Amino acid sequence: MFSGVNIKPSANESERQTNIRKASVLKHEEKNPCIKEHEQSYKCLDENNYNRDFCAGYFENYKLCKEFWSNLRVERRRQGIEPNLPPPEERERIKKEYLEEIKAKRQAK
């Protein structure tokens, strides 16, 4: 079964498909911490007939998210912390700590 996924065995084909979808979503969240931003970008494109000008804010947010987690991976790798990308349960705490650190730096100026 998938890593980190605790799903009971399927009793029928419908349950099997549901379990596959659940596992797929979990896997994406494990590998892509910016899945929400990614989905919001595509939703914006869908709602605005793929006019990229209307979605620039979403694209920028996605870009900043990817940059943040990429930098965090590099830093954790340098420090020898495994896994390089923290598990989904820890990400909110890490983002909160980072934002508090930035806020403190701005107030110190």
Side-chain angles (χ1 to χ4, degrees), residues 1-7 19-20 22-24 26-27 30:
M1 195 101 198
F2 296 102
S3 167
V5 178
N6 191 10
I7 300 175
N19 287 344
I20 289 171
K22 285 180 183 177
S24 178
L26 288 172
K27 198 65 174 171
E30 286 177 13

Side-chain angles (χ1 to χ4, degrees), residues 8 11-12 30 37 42 54 67 87 92 103:
K8 65 179 179 161
N12 57 42
E30 286 177 13
E37 291 80 359
Y42 276 100
F54 287 110
E67 192 175 295
E92 281 303 316
K103 188 177 179 181

Side-chain angles (χ1 to χ4, degrees), residues 3-4 12 27 31 43 45 54 56-57 61 78 83:
S3 167
N12 57 42
K27 198 65 174 171
K31 297 289 184 186
K43 182 178 179 188
L45 286 171
F54 287 110
N61 191 36
R78 281 185 189 143

Side-chain angles (χ1 to χ4, degrees), residues 67-105:
E67 192 175 295
F68 171 78
W69 290 109
S70 176
N71 290 339
L72 187 80
R73 278 184 186 145
V74 168
E75 186 60 32
R76 286 172 65 101
R77 192 176 308 123
R78 281 185 189 143
Q79 294 175 3
I81 300 171
E82 289 288 334
N84 298 141
L85 181 63
E89 313 83 59
E90 295 180 21
R91 293 179 190 160
E92 281 303 316
R93 178 186 54 79
I94 290 170
K95 285 193 294 189
K96 185 178 178 182
E97 289 172 1
Y98 175 76
L99 292 172
E100 288 172 358
E101 183 180 310
I102 287 189
K103 188 177 179 181
K105 285 180 182 178

Side-chain angles (χ1 to χ4, degrees), residues 2 7 13-28:
F2 296 102
I7 300 175
E13 184 60 24
S14 176
E15 281 185 23
R16 182 178 165 280
Q17 291 300 322
T18 300
N19 287 344
I20 289 171
R21 277 193 302 279
K22 285 180 183 177
S24 178
V25 168
L26 288 172
K27 198 65 174 171
H28 287 301

Side-chain angles (χ1 to χ4, degrees), residues 37 40-42 44-45 48 50-64:
E37 291 80 359
Q40 288 173 339
S41 299
Y42 276 100
C44 180
L45 286 171
N48 292 291
Y50 290 84
N51 185 338
R52 296 179 61 83
D53 296 334
F54 287 110
C55 303
Y58 289 99
F59 298 145
E60 183 64 21
N61 191 36
Y62 179 65
K63 178 182 166 188
L64 291 172

